[in-house]
Amino acid sequence: MGRSGCTRLDQSARLPAQISDVLQQDVPPNVKFEVDDIEDSWTYSHLFNYIHSRMMNSSISKWEEYIRQSYEYIQNLTPGSWLELQDFAQPLSDDDTLKEEHALYQSMKHLVEAAAKTDHAFVDLDALKHMMEAAGFVDLSELRFKWPSNTWPRHAKFKELGASNHENITTGLQGFLMAALIRGLGWKADEVNVLAAQARKDVGDRNIHAYWPM
């Protein structure tokens, strides 16, 4: 997270940019939904005091440009103007229980390859801070987390986080892989479905102490 020079966050209006239509019921009066592509040139008629993006790795092709435009649209605001990026790297394990032959490892390896071939390569999380500094952000704060693949951790906090992440990954894995592997690697849908099913088993295996770095 970084700011362009102020201290207080005043979220007086929120403008989520969605890639699909959102059912707009019971929406607060200061929220408006727009369908937009954040990689296009921004033409908003007003500036923002808070820009947040989450899980956009392999969705953005030019991170430097995205961060530069973010800075342009939140600079010179008083008080408080922030950009927050929440993103993930590929899963790993500290005890080598996640091995290269596991379907989970292979599925993420193929996802990285496919993203690169479709001009949406995964960005190194360590590079994001440097990009923000280059764009002009100051007072940067970087927090690192581990999201377990399931309930394998002993600590109650991480066990609960693992249960939530397991549900998220197992229900979304097919969708994460399908378009990327078909478009980037020329796979067939049936092949993706088989890999996703095998990878889901690994995600649920408590003997595999995998986690996603955040």
Side-chain angles (χ1 to χ4, degrees):
M1 179 184 290
R3 66 188 178 95
S4 64
C6 303
T7 56
R8 184 172 63 86
L9 176 62
D10 178 18
Q11 297 186 57
S12 58
R14 301 174 179 87
L15 181 63
Q18 303 287 342
I19 60 173
S20 60
D21 290 335
V22 177
L23 184 61
Q24 299 186 44
Q25 296 180 352
D26 299 323
V27 177
N30 64 336
V31 175
K32 180 175 69 172
F33 290 94
E34 287 192 7
V35 178
D36 207 347
D37 186 340
I38 62 172
E39 296 207 277
D40 287 343
S41 296
W42 293 11
T43 58
Y44 300 113
S45 60
H46 57 276
L47 301 178
F48 303 101
N49 59 0
Y50 177 60
I51 296 176
H52 167 89
S53 67
R54 178 184 175 98
M55 300 298 194
M56 297 299 289
N57 218 339
S58 80
S59 296
I60 295 177
S61 61
K62 298 178 180 178
W63 278 92
E64 294 92 342
E65 179 64 11
Y66 168 55
I67 292 173
R68 183 193 65 79
Q69 290 200 104
S70 296
Y71 183 79
E72 288 184 356
Y73 268 82
I74 65 175
Q75 65 176 332
N76 299 324
L77 285 179
T78 54
S81 44
W82 295 83
L83 169 65
E84 181 177 15
L85 307 176
Q86 294 186 10
D87 239 295
F88 68 102
Q90 297 306 303
L92 49 85
S93 63
D94 294 335
D95 58 1
D96 296 324
T97 52
L98 176 62
K99 301 184 181 300
E100 187 172 352
E101 60 265 25
H102 283 130
L104 173 58
Y105 182 99
Q106 290 297 319
S107 67
M108 296 297 102
K109 176 183 176 182
H110 291 314
L111 180 59
V112 170
E113 294 171 351
K117 288 192 175 184
T118 56
D119 195 30
H120 287 80
F122 274 77
V123 67
D124 183 350
L125 298 187
D126 291 331
L128 293 177
K129 182 177 181 180
H130 300 297
M131 293 180 191
M132 293 177 71
E133 290 174 335
F137 287 97
V138 297
D139 292 348
L140 273 67
S141 175
E142 185 177 22
L143 301 176
R144 296 296 181 111
F145 301 93
K146 294 181 178 181
W147 283 18
S149 54
N150 56 54
T151 58
W152 64 260
R154 295 180 179 178
H155 194 286
K157 173 184 176 181
F158 292 103
K159 189 178 292 291
E160 181 180 4
L161 180 57
S164 177
N165 194 38
H166 174 267
E167 179 69 16
N168 180 56
I169 297 298
T170 54
T171 57
L173 189 58
Q174 181 190 44
F176 302 155
L177 298 173
M178 186 63 71
L181 269 59
I182 289 177
R183 296 171 185 170
L185 302 182
W187 284 38
K188 296 180 180 179
D190 288 345
E191 294 174 317
V192 179
N193 287 331
V194 170
L195 178 62
Q198 294 171 340
R200 280 195 294 268
K201 292 181 180 179
D202 288 343
V203 175
D205 188 342
R206 297 184 74 252
N207 292 315
I208 300 176
H209 301 158
Y211 64 87
W212 273 260
M214 300 290 295

